[in-house]
Amino acid sequence: MQAVIGAFDQRADAQRALDRLVEAGIARSDIHLEQHEAELASGNRGLDESAPRRKGIAGFLASIFTSEDQANTGHAHTYEEAARRGSTVLVVHARDERQAELAASVLHESDAVDVDERSRQWAAEGWSGSAAGGSHPLDRGGVRVLPRRP
């Protein structure tokens, strides 16, 4: 099983991507949306309550990225920063390589933001997180495909 992750500037865009994923045959229970807690405190109750909840979005991302992934790429910090800055993070728990490829394609075509480019901009502004880079053949435009934790 693999996780496919992307970020969207607008929750509505993430919801449209989620709808496209479901239309493409991915089970709704395998798709999760996460937002930073500040969004929730402001009254936007769009958080997917079925998503794992451990210490906010940082805990959720830690449940997806292995410590080796994080040590090598910094992706978890990058997606956490994207959420902190207002993006909605969408994660698909793909059941096989075909489904991972489909999910990556849908997220990319749905205009997931390029978090790699953004992380470089944030670093230029003084952000001390890691500027992420691709590591999987399906990674593109900020959409990541990761091995699922056992």
Side-chain angles (χ1 to χ4, degrees), residues 71-132:
N72 292 335
T73 66
H75 292 314
H77 292 303
T78 303
Y79 281 97
E80 184 179 350
E81 182 66 9
R84 190 189 72 72
R85 291 175 183 247
S87 293
T88 299
V89 177
L90 187 150
V91 177
V92 177
H93 298 289
R95 296 175 187 266
D96 56 32
E97 186 73 22
R98 182 201 63 77
Q99 200 174 64
E101 187 172 341
L102 171 66
S105 180
V106 167
L107 293 183
H108 182 72
E109 291 167 5
S110 296
D111 296 325
V113 299
D114 188 336
V115 293
D116 296 340
E117 181 179 315
R118 296 245 174 115
S119 67
R120 288 187 289 275
Q121 292 170 351
W122 302 332
E125 297 167 359
W127 178 59
S128 60
S130 302

Side-chain angles (χ1 to χ4, degrees), residues 4-86:
V4 181
I5 184 170
F8 294 85
D9 284 334
Q10 303 296 320
R11 172 137 180 110
D13 294 338
Q15 184 63 52
R16 278 190 286 282
L18 184 151
D19 294 342
R20 287 187 61 203
L21 290 163
V22 170
E23 288 170 10
I26 296 175
R28 173 61 184 94
S29 60
D30 290 337
I31 307 168
H32 302 282
L33 294 178
E34 284 287 325
Q35 290 179 285
H36 191 269
E37 289 75 19
E39 291 290 312
L40 302 176
S42 70
N44 182 350
R45 304 301 295 172
L47 180 69
D48 181 348
E49 297 299 334
S50 67
R53 301 301 304 157
R54 293 181 312 181
K55 299 178 190 164
I57 194 160
F60 175 74
L61 291 170
S63 74
I64 297 168
F65 291 91
T66 65
S67 53
E68 183 178 324
D69 293 329
Q70 182 54 26
N72 292 335
T73 66
H75 292 314
H77 292 303
T78 303
Y79 281 97
E80 184 179 350
E81 182 66 9
R84 190 189 72 72
R85 291 175 183 247

